[in-house]
Amino acid sequence: MRIVKRYSHLNGEEFLLVHRPDLWQEVQDVVAGVDAETHRTKISREKTTFGKLLYSPVGLNRAFGEQFKARGWKERRQAFWVTSDEQILRGVVGMPPEAQKAAIEESGQKPIHSYNQTDYIKDRVAVEVQLGKYSFVAHDVFVKHMAFFVSDLIDVGIEIVPMKELESEMSSGVAYYERDLMNILRQGRGVPAVPLVLVGIAP
């Protein structure tokens, strides 16, 4: 596959070029190492494309996973505790998980365990490959990357999504670069407050 477009938010790409050029090159090598045509295996059952052979998100995700894992990138989870009380939550944001739980219990509330998970992380760089529903990109960008950045686990996040030309050969409802670029730009220059690189790919 190939990188068609990329958008650097809050100097995300510039950070990579200066501080993690080897990892940025690995990401580019991973994309180049995925043969999309071998994953055009999904037979559409949708009314408008019935019977058409489409790219399989499952197959493509698996191929990306193999490429990243071969280079030492690993999944990472960030645990935290929540409750329904707004004031208590405001007080525990930024605390280590154990302290969050203790503070919630001390307030008389029941702590609820939760976590954020990122697909691939290496040397403080996180990568999400999003070939699923378009709503998942917003969660990646505004929740996952942000949570890992605020927790000082990453310095930059990379979000890999299809270009429209690839999305049009997949099932309906899949994310695509052009729409996600607009979703980021309409928030203004400082939102989300995490350095990012949005990467658009195609066969």
Side-chain angles (χ1 to χ4, degrees):
M1 300 192 79
R2 60 197 165 92
I3 293 176
V4 179
K5 290 284 187 179
R6 57 188 186 273
Y7 168 68
S8 179
H9 178 73
L10 295 182
N11 296 318
E13 184 177 6
E14 291 76 6
F15 178 91
L16 290 170
L17 290 170
V18 173
H19 300 287
R20 301 288 189 278
D22 53 335
L23 296 188
W24 183 223
Q25 186 59 55
E26 282 190 12
V27 171
Q28 295 172 75
D29 292 343
V30 164
V31 173
V34 173
D35 181 359
E37 292 308 314
T38 63
H39 301 286
R40 192 191 276 267
T41 57
K42 183 176 182 179
I43 300 173
S44 176
R45 293 195 171 100
E46 297 178 26
K47 186 183 294 184
T48 57
T49 57
F50 190 82
K52 185 177 180 180
L53 201 58
L54 305 174
Y55 290 104
S56 165
V58 174
L60 288 170
N61 266 320
R62 187 181 305 115
F64 273 102
E66 291 169 357
Q67 292 279 337
F68 274 112
K69 288 171 186 174
R71 292 167 171 81
W73 294 73
K74 297 179 180 179
E75 177 188 292
R76 175 76 184 266
R77 291 191 177 195
Q78 168 71 5
F80 58 93
W81 295 83
V82 297
T83 186
S84 62
D85 189 293
E86 174 188 344
Q87 294 303 319
I88 295 170
L89 278 184
R90 288 185 186 278
V92 302
V93 169
M95 289 183 177
E98 307 77 28
Q100 289 177 338
K101 183 181 181 184
I104 293 171
E105 288 175 334
E106 287 170 11
S107 72
Q109 298 285 319
K110 181 180 179 181
I112 301 167
H113 183 262
S114 191
Y115 66 90
N116 286 312
Q117 172 267 331
T118 193
D119 288 344
Y120 311 106
I121 193 167
K122 185 177 180 181
D123 199 13
R124 299 180 61 84
V125 175
V127 178
E128 288 287 328
V129 179
Q130 192 51 261
L131 303 172
K133 296 297 182 184
Y134 60 85
S135 58
F136 296 161
V137 176
H139 184 73
D140 290 349
V141 171
F142 292 93
V143 178
K144 286 187 179 183
H145 289 307
M146 177 67 76
F148 277 79
F149 182 71
V150 170
S151 299
D152 197 28
L153 296 174
I154 66 169
D155 296 310
V156 63
I158 300 172
E159 189 76 10
I160 299 175
V161 296
M163 294 296 296
K164 180 63 178 177
E165 64 181 279
L166 172 56
E167 180 269 352
S168 65
E169 297 293 320
M170 302 176 76
S171 299
S172 62
V174 174
Y176 60 90
Y177 178 90
E178 293 87 344
R179 177 169 50 196
D180 293 313
L181 177 61
M182 171 60 85
N183 288 340
I184 292 173
L185 293 178
R186 67 160 52 108
Q187 304 300 321
R189 290 178 60 86
V191 179
V194 52
L196 296 168
V197 184
L198 180 67
V199 176
I201 60 171

